[in-house]
Amino acid sequence: MDNNVQTSEDQSELELHEQVEAQLIIGEEYSRSGDSKSALAAFNKAISIDPACDMAWFNRGVLLESQQDARGARQAFQICLDVNPNHAPATANLC
């Protein structure tokens, strides 16, 4: 029974990871097409599913920066670095 529980937990984790990845792809597509509002919504959804997703925070920061929201962008980049201290693009954007 422990194996079934573990398998079920692993499956749930995999499904959440796939949902996050899907939101990142959707957000990036919206961003490329110039729909910042929908892109931000997709990145926010990814963050709500997995608050430790560094790429969702990073992409959120990039979008906010492009919308002249320096404070929001700095906050998103900082959270990205809190999650992944080795995220070089976030470090560069904070500088």
Side-chain angles (χ1 to χ4, degrees):
M1 182 155 180
D2 284 342
N3 286 340
N4 289 340
V5 170
Q6 184 64 35
T7 302
S8 177
E9 288 173 6
D10 290 345
Q11 185 62 32
S12 293
E13 237 177 84
L14 180 61
E15 288 171 7
L16 288 177
H17 178 73
E18 289 172 354
Q19 290 175 27
V20 169
E21 289 299 315
Q23 290 304 312
L24 289 175
I25 291 167
I26 290 166
E28 289 167 2
E29 288 173 0
Y30 278 129
S31 184
R32 277 193 294 276
S33 70
D35 187 349
S36 296
K37 184 176 179 181
S38 295
L40 190 57
F43 296 138
N44 287 341
K45 186 167 184 181
I47 290 166
S48 74
I49 296 168
D50 180 8
C53 178
D54 61 341
M55 283 308 298
W57 285 108
F58 175 75
N59 288 336
R60 185 177 196 278
V62 170
L63 268 178
L64 292 174
E65 189 174 51
S66 73
Q67 296 174 345
Q68 309 303 308
D69 181 354
R71 182 173 175 230
R74 269 194 311 275
Q75 181 183 31
F77 293 137
Q78 187 57 58
I79 293 170
C80 176
L81 289 171
D82 290 345
V83 171
N84 177 2
N86 298 318
H87 197 281
T91 302
N93 277 289
L94 276 175
C95 294

